[in-house]
């Protein structure tokens, strides 16, 4: 049985590389990229990474100039910055919504293993996944990935993967064709009140208790 799926993506250079979410293209057999000017291109998956929920595509029949977005340094974002979310919610067509950065380095979103998402109140709905979160200067701040919702629609709590994570994946793909992950080589747990009191640490809730160091690190 064939099923059509719909999502958004961002062209990030003139070569035709596109970044989107892994869950948008996962298990796909054919990918068709449709631009706002109605041009259509075939694309293939260069790499798909469930751990970051990012996928890099490449247009295979590029024969003309392509618009693309430059990535910003997402570490420069601040709470309150104005942002635009661009995508194709519910398949109605390209849509732009506005909002602000509500929080940075959000965790426990439950999307990928690497949890430090940008939170925004710009309306993000199904179909926005993989689309651009853009700053007021027109640069890519992040890739819209998830929403918190009990109804399935936007309630003003959306999450985006920061552009610096996107850049690290893109650079890995272009340099080596695979994603190379840093690894610290130790295991630990966050200090809580009980652990702090047991260890005689005065500053409670701050720090990491190292519980194991890998022998090969």
């Amino acid at each position: 049985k064939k099923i059509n799926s719909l999502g958004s993506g961002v062209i990030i250079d003139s070569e035709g590389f596109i970044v989107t979410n892994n869950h948008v293209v996962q298990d796909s057999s054919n990918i068709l990229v449709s631009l706002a000017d109605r041009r259509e291109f075939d694309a293939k998956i260069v790499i798909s990474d469930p751990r970051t929920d990012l996928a890099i595509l490449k247009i295979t029949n590029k024969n003309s100039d392509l618009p693309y977005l430059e990535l910003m340094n997402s570490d420069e974002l601040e709470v309150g910055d104005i942002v635009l979310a661009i995508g194709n919610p519910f398949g109605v067509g390209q849509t732009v919504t506005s909002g602000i950065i509500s929080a940075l380095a959000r965790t426990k979103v439950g999307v990928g293993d690497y949890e430090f998402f940008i939170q925004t109140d710009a309306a993000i709905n199904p179909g926005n996944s993989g689309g651009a979160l853009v700053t007021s200067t027109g640069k890519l701040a992040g890739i819209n990935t998830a929403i918190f919702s009990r109804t399935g629609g936007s309630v003003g709590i959306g999450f985006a993967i920061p552009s610096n994570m996107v850049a690290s994946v893109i650079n890995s793909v272009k340099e080596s064709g695979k994603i190379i992950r840093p690894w610290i080589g130790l295991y630990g747990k966050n200090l809580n009140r009980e652990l702090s009191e047991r260890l005689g640490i005065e500053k409670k809730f701050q720090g990491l208790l190292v519980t194991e160091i890998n022998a090969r690190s």
Side-chain angles (χ1 to χ4, degrees):
K1 182 179 179 180
K2 292 184 177 181
I3 299 175
N4 291 328
S5 181
L6 182 69
S8 303
V10 183
I11 303 174
I12 46 88
D13 67 14
S14 59
E15 298 178 49
F17 281 97
I18 297 172
V19 62
T20 185
N21 285 139
N22 172 70
H23 73 261
V24 169
V25 296
Q26 191 173 18
D27 300 323
S28 61
S29 55
N30 295 292
I31 300 173
L32 182 68
V33 175
S34 179
L35 305 190
D37 60 12
R38 299 189 178 182
R39 285 184 292 168
E40 294 185 341
F41 303 92
D42 296 318
K44 65 177 181 179
I45 298 175
V46 177
I47 199 162
S48 190
D49 184 34
R51 294 184 68 181
T52 57
D53 195 24
L54 288 173
I56 306 297
L57 314 180
K58 181 83 160 49
I59 288 175
T60 56
N61 58 338
K62 177 183 175 297
N63 54 13
S64 57
D65 292 336
L66 295 170
Y68 62 91
L69 273 179
E70 292 183 20
L71 277 65
M72 73 166 293
N73 178 2
S74 53
D75 289 342
E76 296 177 355
L77 289 172
E78 295 182 354
V79 173
D81 284 352
I82 295 173
V83 286
L84 304 174
I86 304 175
N88 187 4
F90 299 107
V92 299
Q94 181 169 292
T95 300
V96 180
T97 55
S98 66
I100 62 169
I101 300 291
S102 303
L104 297 167
R106 270 293 188 239
T107 61
K108 299 181 181 179
V109 175
V111 179
D113 288 355
Y114 300 97
E115 297 191 339
F116 42 89
F117 293 89
I118 300 166
Q119 182 181 327
T120 178
D121 65 351
I124 296 173
N125 287 289
N128 272 114
S129 289
L133 188 70
V134 182
T135 66
S136 57
T137 58
K139 291 190 176 182
L140 184 68
I143 296 296
N144 301 320
T145 298
I147 59 173
F148 176 85
S149 176
R150 292 176 178 170
T151 63
S154 173
V155 293
I157 303 178
F159 301 98
I161 300 169
S163 57
N164 284 2
M165 170 58 78
V166 176
S168 69
V169 172
I170 292 168
N171 291 337
S172 291
V173 169
K174 288 188 174 182
E175 290 173 6
S176 63
K178 59 184 179 180
I179 297 174
I180 300 172
R181 307 181 193 279
W183 180 55
I184 198 170
L186 58 80
Y187 306 91
K189 60 175 70 175
N190 290 329
L191 284 175
N192 55 25
R193 185 183 298 276
E194 182 183 352
L195 275 174
S196 297
E197 290 176 350
R198 191 188 308 169
L199 297 171
I201 298 173
E202 294 182 2
K203 290 185 177 181
K204 299 175 175 60
F205 310 122
Q206 295 182 5
L208 178 79
L209 177 65
V210 177
T211 57
E212 182 182 350
I213 297 177
N214 189 280
R216 296 176 62 191
S217 69

